[in-house]
Amino acid sequence: MGEELKVIVFALANEEYGIEVDKVRTIERMTPITRVPKTPAFIKGVINLRGVVVPVLDLRGRFGLSESEPTDNSRIIIVAVNDLEVGFIVDSANDVIDIDTDSIDSPPEVIGGIKAKYLRGVAKLGENRLLIMLNLAEVLNKNEIIQLEQLED
């Protein structure tokens, strides 16, 4: 058996995804987002989270999926990557589970239209449940991190 990995499970366009709990700061309900000019369309803007300005991305837009209007289930998952806090808009955040690192396979080239570089792998949970593990470092690649850091200034 591999190590146990604690993961936050969230949904995007009928697929389940996972982010390691230790990278997640907090999960927030949708809140008004202040748009920032001259940013890519998937960067929705910034929110004021308890006095801290946090850039917010729409993960659907980031992955090239069709964007949808937020619902009562929509959440902003605040993650920390390299001392930068960023919010991801997701359709819902459902669960915290433990998965065995041995159950994570390398990602296929494309899953649900999402390029493999954004994915860390696919975890098999039971008979027919798959959890797509995100590679946060790629989801926020260096060029975008530079743009996001400029938003915080």
Side-chain angles (χ1 to χ4, degrees):
M1 290 239 346
E3 294 177 40
E4 288 280 300
L5 189 63
K6 217 178 235 342
V7 182
I8 303 256
V9 178
F10 66 91
L12 267 190
N14 301 322
E15 298 283 350
E16 286 189 305
Y17 294 83
I19 299 178
E20 296 93 330
V21 165
D22 63 0
K23 301 222 175 17
V24 175
R25 289 275 193 260
T26 173
I27 299 175
E28 302 290 329
R29 292 187 175 278
M30 289 302 292
T31 180
I33 298 173
T34 304
R35 186 86 184 109
V36 177
K38 297 186 181 146
T39 55
F42 64 84
I43 297 179
K44 291 301 168 200
V46 294
I47 58 172
N48 181 344
L49 187 64
R50 295 180 271 290
V52 178
V53 174
V54 178
V56 176
L57 313 185
D58 187 324
L59 269 191
R60 280 176 168 254
R62 178 69 181 107
F63 292 156
L65 304 169
S66 62
E67 293 185 24
S68 65
E69 286 299 308
T71 67
D72 288 345
N73 293 327
S74 298
R75 295 290 180 268
I76 300 175
I77 299 179
I78 309 295
V79 298
V81 182
N82 306 331
D83 299 332
L84 176 67
E85 286 194 3
V86 178
F88 291 147
I89 299 173
V90 301
D91 295 350
S92 62
N94 307 325
D95 218 348
V96 177
I97 60 170
D98 290 315
I99 57 176
D100 187 335
T101 52
D102 288 348
S103 71
I104 302 175
D105 292 336
S106 298
E109 284 306 302
V110 172
I111 295 185
I114 299 172
K115 296 182 193 79
K117 73 174 188 173
Y118 298 134
L119 309 176
R120 171 177 164 187
V122 178
K124 292 189 201 80
L125 310 175
E127 278 300 298
N128 36 10
R129 187 175 175 203
L130 294 176
L131 185 65
I132 303 165
M133 299 296 297
L134 288 190
N135 176 349
L136 284 183
E138 270 308 325
V139 171
L140 295 167
N141 75 28
K142 291 197 172 28
N143 296 340
E144 277 135 28
I145 288 176
I146 290 165
Q147 279 187 310
L148 292 173
E149 284 172 341
Q150 290 167 347
L151 293 182
E152 291 186 328
D153 293 341

